[in-house]
Amino acid sequence: EDQVTQSPEALRLQEGESSSLNCSYTVSGLRGLFWYRQDPGKGPEFLFTLYSAGEEKEKERLKATLTKKESFLHITAPKPEDSATYLCAVQVVSGTYKYIFGTGTRLKVLA
Amino acid sequence: DSGVTQTPKHLITATGQRVTLRCSPRSGDLSVYWYQQSLDQGLQFLIQYYNGEERAKGNILERFSAQQFPDLHSELNLSSLELGDSALYFCASSVLSQAANYGYTFGSGTRLTVV
């Protein structure tokens, strides 16, 4: 069964304290892995798409990487405005396309 | 503003009632997706329409139905509402029938409270 697991569920960081969020997946026929940011009471906002192992994407303090089994979202020197829930999703081709979200990591960055 | 418009933003209704949630996709997008998000379940895919036709179905209850109209807006109908249907309902859109380089564009959601 296709599965996406994110860890940790919640993370508290001090401002400037770098860390990584994990998204591991067990799927057949990975077509792409997507990262989103979701603020409370709002819809997810697209951040990155990764397609193949070894690929990396960067945006400001965020860098996403992909291996054959997992993806990491690295946050360098985070600021309080980076506080949000970070979701990953995988697109799978198995007959039809499926798009499966993980349950997210709630990040809180303290000033 | 993401370009995906959902109405209403908030809805409070009683058990057993029926409601309709509305979504206008981003201009140019042909696919519309409906998701349910509750605290303990994360984002659960309900149903997808592409250019007016149902393309994929997820864990959508029989009490729920949806459609996409010729102008591409979509409606999600929820009937015989139960307390457990209380959740955030998101609509998302994309140009193609599946997520491409830029993933999905989500609306800001409708918060449904069933009392």
Side-chain angles (χ1 to χ4, degrees):
Chain A
E1 184 186 348
D2 298 321
Q3 208 163 14
V4 179
T5 304
Q6 290 190 248
S7 62
E9 286 187 15
L11 182 62
R12 290 165 70 94
L13 299 173
Q14 292 293 324
E15 185 173 3
E17 180 186 3
S18 301
S19 187
S20 296
L21 314 182
N22 178 264
C23 171
S24 63
Y25 57 91
T26 307
V27 300
S28 54
L30 179 73
R31 172 122 174 116
L33 187 140
F34 302 75
W35 282 98
Y36 291 83
R37 169 192 170 125
Q38 185 176 21
D39 293 300
K42 297 191 176 181
E45 179 184 345
F46 170 79
L47 291 173
F48 304 109
T49 307
L50 301 164
Y51 289 107
S52 56
E55 189 174 359
E56 298 183 353
K57 293 274 180 73
E58 278 189 74
K59 180 180 179 179
E60 295 180 356
R61 295 176 293 282
L62 300 176
K63 182 167 86 171
T65 61
L66 182 65
T67 72
K68 288 186 178 179
K69 295 291 185 186
E70 59 192 346
S71 176
F72 292 94
L73 185 64
H74 307 279
I75 304 178
T76 302
K79 298 182 178 183
E81 53 262 42
D82 296 321
S83 298
T85 295
Y86 291 86
L87 299 164
C88 74
V90 296
Q91 184 158 264
V92 180
V93 178
S94 56
T96 59
Y97 282 99
K98 287 196 294 183
Y99 201 73
I100 307 165
F101 277 91
T103 51
T105 294
R106 294 189 311 278
L107 174 66
K108 177 76 172 175
V109 182
L110 305 170
Chain B
D1 182 7
S2 68
V4 177
T5 304
Q6 288 189 249
T7 58
K9 291 193 184 308
H10 302 277
L11 201 47
I12 301 175
T13 190
T15 54
Q17 294 299 303
R18 173 189 167 94
V19 297
T20 297
L21 312 184
R22 194 178 192 278
C23 169
S24 293
R26 194 179 57 162
S27 177
D29 286 357
L30 299 178
S31 264
V32 169
Y33 311 82
W34 285 98
Y35 281 86
Q36 180 191 59
Q37 187 177 45
S38 51
L39 282 173
D40 58 344
Q41 292 280 335
L43 272 168
Q44 298 293 311
F45 170 64
L46 297 177
I47 197 164
Q48 176 199 357
Y49 280 83
Y50 177 73
N51 204 21
E53 294 188 2
E54 183 184 303
R55 181 58 67 101
K57 239 176 181 177
N59 300 322
I60 188 166
L61 300 172
E62 285 192 12
R63 300 183 285 110
F64 296 0
S65 65
Q67 54 184 324
Q68 187 179 29
F69 295 87
D71 67 353
L72 300 178
H73 91 270
S74 178
E75 292 180 358
L76 179 67
N77 301 296
L78 315 176
S79 61
S80 303
L81 285 167
E82 302 174 359
L83 295 177
D85 297 327
S86 296
L88 266 169
Y89 289 84
F90 286 106
C91 168
S93 70
S94 66
V95 172
L96 303 175
S97 60
Q98 69 274 357
N101 289 337
Y102 301 105
Y104 296 168
T105 302
F106 281 82
S108 54
T110 293
R111 181 175 294 281
L112 173 66
T113 303
V114 182
V115 297

